[in-house]
Amino acid sequence: MKTNLRGRDFISTQEWTKEELETVLQLASDLKMKWGLDLPTRLLEDKTLFMLFFFSSTRTRNSFEAGMTRLGGHAIFLEPDKMQISHGDTPKEIGKILSSYGHGIAIRHCDWGDGNKYLRDVAEHARVPVINMQCDIYHPCQAMADLMTCIEKKGDMKGKKVVMSWAYAKSYTKPLSLPQSVIELFTQFGADVVLAHPPAFDLMPEILDNAASNARKTGGSFKIVHDMDEAFVGADVVYPKSWGPLVAVQDSSKMVDTIRQYESWICDERRMSLAKEDAIYMHCLPADRGVEVTDAVIDGPQSVVYDQAENRMHVQNAIMALTMGGR
Ligand code: CP
């Protein structure tokens, strides 16, 4: 367990060691138990978190905001169009000025090619921790909530087959951030990770390298397949979710045409029957019901989607308490 995380940014899980991430999970479990017992956990009394959203949110905004209330502090919701960002406030101004008023800056910026860079530019100038609420490359708080959920349901991830699969979706071209964070984090915890997607839906090469390298170090494994059925066979955990063909296709109209070719990539009861009988179904939400997943699966007994959503608050409270508070 680590006791020196005060001041650290949380931009990707890959930049934290397994021991540091385990510290987050331990504290998150303790905070969750106290939440269940309605015991006080005022670890960030009189502290302020600024939450800057360039993109919409249900879970992230509300879990961070409710989380800061629970920790005895205050969260301020910021939208770029209500600020002076379009009139000249650069990441330097945001980092320096918000640091002078508060204790943490959380940012969601998912624009492909811009989001992660924006977070890192703010972090360079901030005197307080910067927490990634999702960028174009990573969604580390979601992946930590997912790992916590898997450990609660399945125990140690070593030897568990975890399938991160692409799925069809109509609503919008979703970022790569969730699958990228999941394959990095679960290989760091020794799982046998299978990434499944149609050919044009590659993830970023450096992320694939990190997952393969993590698996080598932890004794887990990492492989890529292009068949959803093949991936599901014998799985302990299935996580079918859409993302855009952002690495392979540059033109946005071509992206839509590319996605439309794979309508058959839906998680239904037949596919769930290929996984282990006690396999769990995961989705970070929002899901395209009837497109990414059938109602029977997402509302069925194997689904853990609401546990994942609740655990967002507990892992984030742990991350905030450790980085914005402590010694
Ligand atoms: N899973 C997730 O990040 O949800 P929101 O987009 O609603 O925050």
Side-chain angles (χ1 to χ4, degrees):
M1 179 175 294
K2 301 299 279 186
T3 55
N4 57 346
L5 296 168
R6 186 181 178 134
R8 284 280 295 278
D9 296 325
F10 190 70
I11 295 179
S12 78
T13 52
Q14 193 67 19
E15 290 156 273
W16 283 44
T17 66
K18 183 165 183 261
E19 190 182 359
E20 290 166 346
L21 297 170
E22 281 170 343
T23 304
V24 172
L25 293 173
Q26 282 175 28
L27 179 56
S29 293
D30 185 58
L31 294 174
K32 184 173 183 176
M33 181 65 75
K34 292 192 168 86
W35 167 250
L37 296 171
D38 205 17
L39 292 171
T41 51
R42 299 178 68 81
L43 299 173
L44 293 179
E45 225 156 22
D46 300 328
K47 296 200 170 173
T48 299
L49 174 73
F50 294 101
M51 307 184 302
L52 177 53
F53 280 91
F54 287 80
F55 193 78
S56 54
S57 164
T58 301
R59 281 143 291 271
T60 305
R61 176 187 175 177
N62 290 294
S63 56
F64 267 101
E65 198 161 330
M68 273 305 279
T69 304
R70 176 83 184 137
L71 295 173
H74 179 57
I76 297 181
F77 175 65
L78 300 170
E79 290 176 288
D81 63 338
K82 307 283 189 308
M83 298 168 69
Q84 299 284 28
I85 287 177
S86 65
H87 300 152
D89 275 344
T90 67
K92 180 175 181 178
E93 274 79 47
I94 298 299
K96 281 194 175 296
I97 293 164
L98 296 184
S99 293
S100 70
Y101 304 145
H103 305 84
I105 303 171
I107 303 172
R108 167 169 280 195
H109 192 328
C110 303
D111 289 354
W112 179 237
D114 294 333
N116 190 266
K117 181 176 178 340
Y118 187 88
L119 264 80
R120 293 196 189 275
D121 287 348
V122 172
E124 188 187 329
H125 298 287
R127 281 188 285 120
V128 297
V130 170
I131 299 174
N132 187 350
M133 296 194 295
Q134 189 180 19
C135 67
D136 51 334
I137 300 177
Y138 292 116
H139 198 350
C141 295
Q142 181 67 53
M144 286 295 286
D146 298 339
L147 178 62
M148 180 176 177
T149 307
C150 279
I151 293 171
E152 286 173 348
K153 305 290 178 194
K154 296 276 158 208
D156 190 349
M157 282 293 99
K158 253 188 169 327
K160 301 291 188 312
K161 180 174 176 180
V162 176
V163 176
M164 182 73 242
S165 175
W166 189 84
Y168 182 59
K170 282 182 181 162
S171 55
Y172 68 102
T173 303
K174 301 187 184 191
L176 308 183
S177 49
L178 186 277
Q180 298 200 142
S181 285
V182 165
I183 65 166
E184 281 191 351
L185 181 61
F186 281 70
T187 49
Q188 215 176 348
F189 279 73
D192 294 320
V193 176
V194 177
L195 174 66
H197 60 77
F201 292 83
D202 298 313
L203 300 183
M204 292 167 66
E206 54 269 42
I207 304 292
L208 301 176
D209 289 347
N210 287 342
S213 161
N214 290 346
R216 276 194 299 277
K217 285 180 198 149
T218 60
S221 62
F222 176 64
K223 78 170 180 178
I224 302 173
V225 301
H226 298 300
D227 185 298
M228 200 173 183
D229 283 4
E230 178 190 343
F232 269 48
V233 172
D236 295 285
V237 176
V238 294
Y239 203 148
K241 187 201 173 295
S242 188
W243 63 85
L246 294 157
V247 172
V249 182
Q250 313 307 324
D251 183 278
S252 58
S253 66
K254 278 199 189 130
M255 277 191 204
V256 174
D257 293 342
T258 307
I259 293 170
R260 282 208 188 113
Q261 291 173 41
Y262 300 104
E263 280 186 34
S264 65
W265 285 61
I266 182 170
C267 184
D268 56 14
E269 286 170 296
R270 182 193 68 77
R271 284 211 163 98
M272 285 304 294
S273 73
L274 300 172
K276 284 188 181 156
E277 211 175 320
D278 63 350
I280 55 172
Y281 164 82
M282 306 188 82
H283 197 294
C284 55
L285 305 178
D288 275 14
R289 282 173 174 261
V291 180
E292 275 183 302
V293 57
T294 60
D295 287 344
V297 172
I298 198 168
D299 296 326
Q302 289 166 283
S303 174
V304 298
V305 297
Y306 298 114
D307 298 271
Q308 291 173 259
E310 181 188 332
N311 283 340
R312 285 292 302 274
M313 184 173 77
H314 303 304
V315 290
Q316 290 160 195
N317 284 0
I319 292 162
M320 289 191 288
L322 290 164
T323 61
M324 294 164 57
R327 285 156 54 82

